[in-house]
Amino acid sequence: MLVDNNEGLTAVVVEPFLQKSPESDDQKVQFVKASAQSFATDEDVWWRQGYHQVMLKEVIHHIDPSDRINLYHGIKKDIQDTEAVSSTYPNILIVT
């Protein structure tokens, strides 16, 4: 997996139907039970901060076309400017 081959890279997976899983010490991949529509709100949550890349995986066709603009605005608002980041590796947000 991408994060396994890059020491400093981390990923957050946003999944609306996430099942409770055992706690893990692996800080490279974290899972959050939330929907893509969360980006259309002004909610201030930890997983909406500090990412530099986004992958929308098999999700966009589930979002009403009238909600997509707000979703994209929310993602763009929360994405970090890579030039302003001091870390060597980017963080990835994966929305499923």
Side-chain angles (χ1 to χ4, degrees):
M1 183 176 188
L2 182 62
V3 294
D4 292 334
N5 296 327
N6 293 288
E7 183 179 319
L9 184 70
T10 61
V12 174
V13 179
V14 178
E15 166 61 56
F17 303 108
L18 184 68
Q19 299 294 318
K20 179 90 170 130
S21 59
E23 294 296 320
S24 171
D25 292 333
D26 183 10
Q27 296 298 311
K28 294 180 77 65
V29 180
Q30 297 181 12
F31 294 87
V32 174
K33 185 174 184 174
S35 71
Q37 285 87 343
S38 299
F39 289 94
T41 70
D42 287 331
E43 185 179 10
D44 185 24
V45 291
W46 69 268
W47 54 267
R48 284 187 57 180
Q49 303 168 12
Y51 61 88
H52 311 100
Q53 300 174 32
V54 179
M55 179 174 76
L56 297 173
K57 182 179 182 293
E58 300 285 330
V59 68
I60 203 65
H61 64 275
H62 294 289
I63 299 169
D64 189 278
S66 65
D67 294 334
R68 291 178 186 169
I69 291 174
N70 286 335
L71 172 111
Y72 288 127
H73 280 295
I75 289 173
K76 184 173 184 334
K77 179 179 67 83
D78 294 338
I79 202 163
Q80 293 285 307
D81 178 6
T82 54
E83 292 180 9
V85 176
S86 61
S87 67
T88 306
Y89 297 100
N91 295 313
I92 300 173
L93 179 74
I94 303 170
V95 183
T96 63

